[in-house]
Structure formats: structure tokens, C-alpha cells
Amino acid sequence: MPEDVRAALQGVIADLKRIPDVLAVSIVRRDGLPIVHSLPKAMNPKKIAAMAAAIVGTSEMAAVEMGQGDFIQSIVDSHGGKLLATGAGEEALLVTMVKEDANMGLVLLSVDRAVQTIAQLLDGDELLQTEAQT
Amino acid sequence: MTDLWGQLEAVIEELSRVSDIQAAAVVRRDGLVITHTLPDGVDPKIVAAMTAAIVGTSEMATVQLSQGRFNRALVESDEGKLISTGAGEEALLVALLYKDANLGLVLMAMERAARQVDEILRRGTGR
């Protein structure tokens, strides 16, 4: 991935991280590999990427099987917080972890804006595939 | 058993009356249908299986990422939303929503319905 694309993606997640309720942000490939992230040290980026891809895989299957159209987003709500996995273009997912009592209106608005920017940055960037394999 | 089933049916019929909820169902955690208000075009077996799959994956993620206990999963698609939540140890409550649903209202109604389903099933099994 060219450095300017990586920097632009890092800019997108830095913007999201600025929202007080957002604890961690990561951009991952739909097959479960991390692309860029801004996670606290205690969180394993590979694990988060793998879990997000698993959740999205199951959710997409459900959306298709139930005739609900294309998958947009999946939110897993737990006692320790919420995990949002949102489609960001053809190849990527945006993973956002927020506090349990987060202001979801604000978070969802920012997430929607972020996935649009990520899709623009990544789609048509064929170098992404070779980068993620190394 | 008939009584139990009637009570569960009453709970989800009441839940389905919330205007943003298209249909609702109570399913077992292993993916089998208990009772539902799904329209004719939607296969209840598929809904039950998909709900169990979503909750299974979400619970795995919750545990793996040390997020405490799983509350609910929301899948948002082009044409609607699907909310799955636990209703006691054995059952799940699932609701299909219209795309532009008012989530605050729906989540409140679902929390209440999930508590009722839990109570009914506890009474039914004598726990």
C-alpha cells in the first residue's frame, strides 16, 4: 500500500479516536487481516480483525438468506462495550470499539462518514492485496 | 406445554405490535424455532438458524475480546435490521425491523419481552 494511502487511513482512524466514547479503531481486510489500527496495547489487532471478519461473515450470510439486501453493519453489544463492524468498500471493514454507554448517534454518524472515506481510499488500490500478504 | 406456548406467543405478538418491528420470533440457542410471527415469505427455520449463528459468533467475539457478557447483536442491511438478544439460558429473542426503525423504542420493548420470555420458560421448566 502506498505510504500516502496508509497515512490517509491513519488520519481517518485518528479522527474517529477523537470521539470520547470511542476506545479503539481498526481497519481490517474482510478475510480477517489487520490493515491499520489504533488500539490500546492490551488489545491484539490480529484477534480483533479475525473476530470482526467472523461476525461480518455470519451476518452477511444471514442478510442474504433472509432476503435483507446487502450487509451494512453489525453491532455486538456486551457488558464491557460495543463492537461495531462496518463494511468499508469492497475489501475492508472498519472496526470500532466503544464504551457500553456511548452516545451511539454521534458514533454512528462518524462511522458512516469514515467508511465512505475509507472506501474511496482503498477501492481501486490493487497494491493493497500484495501488502496484506507480507 | 400448550399454556407455555400460548404465553410465549402472547409476548411476541405484543412485541410485533411495536410499529417499527416487522416480525419477531423466540428460538432455541441451538437454532430451532419455538414460536414466531414471521410473514409467509420468511422461513422461520432459516431465521432461527441464522440467529443462532449470529449469536454464536458474537458470543465468541465477546469472550475472545474480554468484553464481559454478551447482550445483543444488531445486523444492519440494505433492506432492514435484525436484532438478536438472549432470553434466559435456553432461548433467544429475535426481531426483524424496518430499515428506518426507531432503535430506542425497539430496544426497550425487546428488553422487556426478553425478560418475560425468560420468566415464562423458567416457570415452565420448574427452575
Side-chain angles (χ1 to χ4, degrees), chain A residues 29-105:
Chain A
R29 278 166 49 112
R30 285 186 187 251
D31 62 5
L33 297 173
I35 299 174
V36 290
H37 66 84
S38 166
L39 301 171
K41 278 211 178 79
M43 291 184 186
N44 180 345
K46 284 185 187 164
K47 209 176 213 178
I48 286 171
M51 291 301 137
I55 290 167
V56 170
T58 318
S59 302
E60 262 183 337
M61 175 182 70
V64 170
E65 288 290 332
M66 294 165 58
Q68 295 279 294
D70 285 339
F71 167 84
I72 297 172
Q73 174 166 271
S74 172
I75 303 175
V76 176
D77 192 344
S78 316
H79 276 212
K82 295 185 211 291
L83 174 80
L84 284 74
T86 315
E90 294 284 306
E91 304 199 59
L93 300 170
L94 173 66
V95 186
T96 316
M97 296 180 79
V98 300
K99 287 183 193 158
E100 219 297 286
D101 55 355
N103 174 346
M104 287 306 280

Side-chain angles (χ1 to χ4, degrees), chain A residues 47-48 51 54-55 58-59 61-63 65-83 97 100, chain B residues 46-47 50 53-54 57-58 60-62 64-65 67-82 96-97 99:
Chain A
K47 209 176 213 178
I48 286 171
M51 291 301 137
I55 290 167
T58 318
S59 302
M61 175 182 70
E65 288 290 332
M66 294 165 58
Q68 295 279 294
D70 285 339
F71 167 84
I72 297 172
Q73 174 166 271
S74 172
I75 303 175
V76 176
D77 192 344
S78 316
H79 276 212
K82 295 185 211 291
L83 174 80
M97 296 180 79
E100 219 297 286
Chain B
I46 290 181
V47 173
M50 291 303 142
I54 290 168
T57 316
S58 302
M60 173 185 72
T62 301
Q64 288 290 329
L65 303 175
Q67 294 281 293
R69 203 151 48 85
F70 167 80
N71 272 350
R72 69 176 82 88
L74 191 157
V75 177
E76 199 180 323
S77 318
D78 263 349
E79 285 156 39
K81 294 186 173 104
L82 175 84
L96 274 167
L97 317 184
K99 174 85 187 79

Side-chain angles (χ1 to χ4, degrees), chain B residues 42-53:
Chain B
V42 186
D43 186 344
K45 285 184 191 161
I46 290 181
V47 173
M50 291 303 142
T51 304

Side-chain angles (χ1 to χ4, degrees), chain B residues 16-104:
Chain B
S16 306
R17 273 203 289 274
V18 176
S19 58
D20 288 339
I21 297 183
Q22 198 182 349
V26 180
V27 308
R28 278 164 52 107
R29 286 187 185 258
D30 62 5
L32 298 174
V33 192
I34 298 176
T35 177
H36 68 87
T37 60
L38 298 166
D40 279 346
V42 186
D43 186 344
K45 285 184 191 161
I46 290 181
V47 173
M50 291 303 142
T51 304
I54 290 168
V55 171
T57 316
S58 302
E59 274 184 333
M60 173 185 72
T62 301
V63 171
Q64 288 290 329
L65 303 175
S66 319
Q67 294 281 293
R69 203 151 48 85
F70 167 80
N71 272 350
R72 69 176 82 88
L74 191 157
V75 177
E76 199 180 323
S77 318
D78 263 349
E79 285 156 39
K81 294 186 173 104
L82 175 84
I83 303 186
S84 322
T85 184
E89 273 173 40
E90 295 184 79
L92 302 170
L93 179 68
V94 53
L96 274 167
L97 317 184
Y98 296 106
K99 174 85 187 79
D100 49 0
N102 176 342
L103 275 182

